[in-house]
Amino acid sequence: MASRPVHFFWILDCSYSMGINGKIGALNFAIKEALPEMRSVAHDNPSASLLLRALTFSTTARWLQPTSTAVEDFHWDDVHPDGTTNLGEALKLVARELEMPPMPERALKPVLALVSDGQPTDDWRSGLKAIDATPWGRRAVRVAIGIGEDADRAMLKDFLANPELEPLDANSPKQLAAAIRWASTVAVKAASVPVAAGSDPKTLSGYTPYAPPTVTSDDDDDDVW
């Protein structure tokens, strides 16, 4: 049987504040370190074809890859901080990719992984509404990671669109690496479960109960953000 695609979208805050205290460097390192584990998950699930794509947002939002790339061929180029936090623009770009087309009808649930360290500076709610207006947006497995104490947890929780879920906290490089690794593996496994016909979209988060990584600041000798 032919494999069905799982589209994984990184939605990454690259605003100026991400350049403070090494946050952007830790993010680049964490994603690079997670790629081998993502390839392993994909290898263990031949019925699903894992495709990756990353979007950064600061004063503007842009895709880092022109199209989604098979995890086996995906290469991470470091991102750099600059500007404000236009999350709404980023979410609208993601929403366009969740339409059918370009998304195929026979895909598996996409994964939307949002990482941010601050407050959006544009109308992010209109971007979230655009995602929720698409069939695949409503079905997506969503993960939200808040970096540091200034992260807008209320916004991240709204992004998750499930009252039972909470954003992951990343207050140090080790916590960020654990959260990225969790999002890269557990969420992909959840997305690889086919959507049953007639299922309630509200039950399609795919990974209940929530089981985030358990790395506390006491376990980490690095600076806490």
Side-chain angles (χ1 to χ4, degrees):
M1 183 175 64
S3 62
R4 297 166 66 182
V6 174
H7 288 263
F8 189 109
F9 297 105
W10 287 114
I11 309 168
L12 305 174
D13 185 345
C14 289
S15 60
Y16 176 78
S17 60
M18 284 291 292
I20 299 172
N21 292 332
K23 285 182 280 189
I24 200 74
L27 176 63
N28 284 317
F29 179 79
I31 292 179
K32 287 178 182 177
E33 289 293 295
L35 284 174
E37 295 192 45
M38 296 185 83
R39 295 187 181 106
S40 177
V41 169
H43 180 269
D44 292 341
N45 190 358
S47 63
S49 176
L50 181 58
L51 303 171
L52 307 184
R53 199 176 183 191
L55 177 74
T56 60
F57 60 95
S58 54
T59 303
T60 60
R62 69 183 186 95
W63 291 106
L64 300 185
Q65 299 81 24
T67 59
S68 293
T69 303
V71 66
E72 296 82 5
D73 302 321
F74 188 84
H75 173 77
W76 182 254
D77 292 318
D78 285 353
V79 295
H80 305 280
D82 179 36
T84 54
T85 312
N86 285 351
L87 173 61
E89 180 184 349
L91 297 180
K92 288 175 183 177
L93 289 181
V94 174
R96 293 177 193 170
E97 299 303 310
L98 297 174
E99 298 283 355
M100 293 187 294
M103 281 283 286
E105 290 186 20
R106 292 196 68 258
L108 295 169
K109 296 187 292 290
V111 179
L112 308 180
L114 172 60
V115 183
S116 180
D117 77 330
Q119 313 282 328
T121 52
D122 66 348
D123 181 12
W124 64 271
R125 292 187 183 278
S126 65
L128 185 57
K129 287 180 181 178
I131 287 180
D132 291 338
T134 67
W136 283 115
R138 292 191 297 272
R139 295 175 177 177
V141 173
R142 303 187 193 188
V143 180
I145 300 172
I147 300 179
E149 61 182 9
D150 293 329
D152 188 340
R153 287 185 56 84
M155 174 274 292
L156 294 171
K157 188 168 177 63
D158 283 347
F159 171 80
L160 292 172
N162 186 330
E164 296 181 4
L165 303 183
E166 295 290 339
L168 301 177
D169 291 324
N171 295 319
S172 68
K174 285 184 181 179
Q175 290 182 20
L176 179 58
I180 293 290
R181 185 167 57 250
W182 187 90
S184 302
T185 54
V186 176
V188 168
K189 291 177 183 178
S192 300
V193 178
V195 178
S199 295
D200 182 351
K202 294 181 180 178
T203 67
L204 295 176
S205 60
Y207 47 103
T208 301
Y210 200 77
T214 55
V215 177
T216 68
S217 58
D218 292 336
D219 300 322
D220 200 339
D221 295 328
D222 298 324
D223 293 336
V224 174
W225 294 317

